[in-house]
Amino acid sequence: MPAWLVTGGAGFIGSNFVRHALAHSDVRVVVLDKLTYAGHLENLADVADDPRFHFVRGDIADAASVDLIVREHQPRALVNFAAESHVDRSIDDPGAFVQTNLVGTFVLLEAARAHLARLDEAGRDAFRFLHVSTDEVYGSLGASGAFHESTPYEPNSPYSASKAGADHLVRAYHATYGVPSLITNCSNNYGPYQYPEKLIPLMTLNAIEGRELPIYGDGGNVRDWLYVEDHCAGIRLALERGRIGEKYNIGGKNERTNLELVDAICAALEAAMPAAENPALRERGIAGYRDLRRFVDDRPGHDRRYAIDAGRIRSELGWRPGHDLETGLSATVRWYLENRDWCAAVQSDYDRGRLGLAGG
Ligand code: NAD
Ligand code: DAU
């Protein structure tokens, strides 16, 4: 049975992808993950006993470890999720982003090149390197239009610049060395197992606990939201049927301002756990979750609007998102309500305090 090497498989999207791959493809899945603050074995607890699943703790920027894993498992595909992923942290500590996102991707590409050189022709034909990237590489949109695959790169944060650099390396390794690679550029994901530094879980947990809901700037920044399972399905389609050397944009056409989204989270929470029955709000005399909203200092370099044109993956690979924002959001809010132990475990050294003002 072929193996897929999934880097960053203990994080949010990676762990959802591991579950998706084991359920939908006849493959072994080998996860390589450093287990940073964002990576947790709890995210993979339900697949830990699957004989097709194997976990290795390690750093993608450590060439010797990567080489060893590739030689041992002889992967037919390498799917790279491993990254420092939070824009606010990239403002405070950009070096970690360059090291993992750029140097780490370079190390993986070198390992893939060496692996390909050892394979026979059939092995080389079958191998794929899929690099999971972001729409943030394209920069910021005005009031209209959407990112398509040929939109020029204009990254604005250290995070998006490091992801853009990695995308360029992947492209160059295809053009120069023939590494059979694909890149997917996706919009904002949400769903189970997302680390509570990101907008949706942070607002959900703050609201549950009666804490303020910090909205950056005027709350008018727009993001294009996609349920994580739909992203995973798109990645698997690109891996199994995508054209080598191509980029595929993935997005759900669910544009919302941050203020609209926070209001939608408050409404989903009100349906699942009415504020009147929440002791954390009652104690503070707060009648509704929306009363917790506060406008706070903006994120430095804050991109105004993202929107994805997913026409290529739709027409070439038949991809369609299966969740609309309202059903996906209420399922997500319920998941956080029902998984408070997970929330406590992953936040042992994080208090959801403000990050990313160092550059302001
Ligand atoms: P995450 O922060 O939840 O998970 C990242 C994972 O990578 C963690 O398990 C972490 O331990 C691991 N990791 C970090 N550095 C590592 C290293 N040096 N070696 C090995 N493992 C390492 O991130 P996420 O939100 O799941 O994002 C996954 C990927 O998808 C990233 O590449 C990100 O750029 C991309 N992406 C994310 C979104 C989104 O909305 N979250 C959207 C589009 C693309
Ligand atoms: O677009 C894809 C990207 O989406 C991914 O590449 C990144 O890995 C992922 O983190 C995400 O980046 P964003 O910066 O868009 O996500 P974040 O959840 O940090 O913020 C979403 C929006 O909400 C953004 O406009 C900033 C705002 N925000 C965020 C937080 C954490 C707030 O207003 N308040 C907050 O407390």
Side-chain angles (χ1 to χ4, degrees):
M1 189 183 288
W4 289 355
L5 176 57
V6 178
T7 66
F12 163 48
I13 307 174
S15 62
N16 279 285
F17 180 77
V18 168
R19 255 183 298 284
H20 181 86
L22 289 171
H24 296 283
S25 295
D26 206 11
V27 292
R28 289 187 294 123
V29 174
V30 179
V31 167
L32 169 63
D33 197 296
K34 189 177 174 183
L35 299 183
T36 66
Y37 78 93
H40 296 274
L41 288 177
E42 286 90 338
N43 298 0
L44 294 164
D46 52 351
V47 296
D49 295 331
D50 189 321
R52 293 183 295 140
F53 170 76
H54 186 77
F55 180 81
V56 182
R57 185 172 193 177
D59 186 338
I60 60 163
D62 175 355
S65 311
V66 172
D67 186 56
L68 210 65
I69 290 158
V70 168
R71 283 177 189 272
E72 183 183 345
H73 294 281
Q74 297 291 318
R76 180 176 290 180
L78 195 161
V79 188
N80 181 28
F81 291 93
E84 288 293 338
S85 69
H86 192 35
V87 173
D88 288 338
R89 289 183 195 260
S90 83
I91 296 167
D92 294 334
D93 180 19
F97 288 70
V98 173
Q99 178 61 20
T100 286
N101 300 0
L102 196 55
V103 177
T105 303
F106 161 70
V107 167
L108 294 176
L109 285 163
E110 280 291 286
R113 190 155 80 94
H115 179 49
L116 282 160
R118 292 189 296 265
L119 291 173
D120 60 15
E121 197 181 336
R124 278 197 300 277
D125 285 349
F127 183 77
R128 296 287 181 275
F129 185 107
L130 191 145
H131 177 66
V132 179
S133 190
T134 169
D135 60 357
E136 299 199 7
V137 296
Y138 299 121
S140 186
L141 288 165
S144 62
F147 299 131
H148 43 89
E149 285 82 358
S150 56
T151 301
Y153 278 25
E154 286 182 357
N156 291 315
S157 71
Y159 163 70
S160 54
S162 65
K163 293 293 291 185
D167 289 13
H168 291 321
L169 278 175
V170 175
R171 179 190 160 92
Y173 269 63
H174 170 64
T176 306
Y177 305 113
V179 172
S181 61
L182 302 104
I183 301 173
T184 53
N185 295 88
C186 190
S187 61
N188 286 62
N189 283 218
Y190 69 99
Y193 300 101
Q194 186 167 33
Y195 195 76
E197 66 193 350
K198 307 284 167 47
L199 181 72
I200 289 181
L202 184 140
M203 294 294 177
T204 303
L205 294 178
N206 275 16
I208 292 170
E209 294 170 18
R211 284 172 59 173
E212 294 182 350
L213 308 180
I215 297 164
Y216 298 173
D218 65 1
N221 300 66
V222 174
R223 296 293 182 264
D224 183 354
W225 295 94
L226 183 68
Y227 194 65
V228 63
E229 176 72 14
D230 291 328
H231 183 192
C232 293
I235 291 170
R236 190 172 62 89
L237 272 179
L239 183 62
E240 293 182 337
R241 306 219 311 262
R243 278 187 293 141
I244 289 171
E246 273 306 346
K247 276 162 61 65
Y248 291 93
N249 281 356
I250 309 179
K253 269 207 173 308
N254 282 310
E255 285 185 57
R256 296 289 188 280
T257 65
N258 292 335
L259 201 50
E260 287 169 341
L261 190 77
V262 169
D263 285 349
I265 294 168
C266 291
L269 203 49
E270 182 64 30
M273 180 167 80
E277 293 167 21
N278 181 337
L281 273 78
R282 264 210 322 263
E283 269 167 29
R284 294 182 53 197
I286 293 169
Y289 291 110
R290 289 175 80 242
D291 299 339
L292 296 166
R293 296 177 310 170
R294 298 288 180 278
F295 291 101
V296 299
D297 287 347
D298 208 353
R299 168 187 283 174
H302 197 177
D303 287 334
R304 190 65 179 172
R305 177 172 165 260
Y306 304 143
I308 281 276
D309 176 346
R312 175 178 286 171
I313 193 166
R314 280 177 174 269
S315 62
E316 279 187 23
L317 306 181
W319 176 83
R320 299 278 181 283
H323 302 80
D324 63 46
L325 187 60
E326 280 60 37
T327 48
L329 201 55
S330 56
T332 302
V333 163
R334 274 199 312 277
W335 189 88
Y336 281 92
L337 273 170
E338 287 162 9
N339 288 275
R340 303 301 301 282
D341 289 350
W342 179 89
C343 297
V346 303
Q347 292 179 100
S348 56
D349 49 7
Y350 170 62
D351 65 0
R352 301 200 302 278
R354 181 71 194 264
L355 300 168
L357 285 176

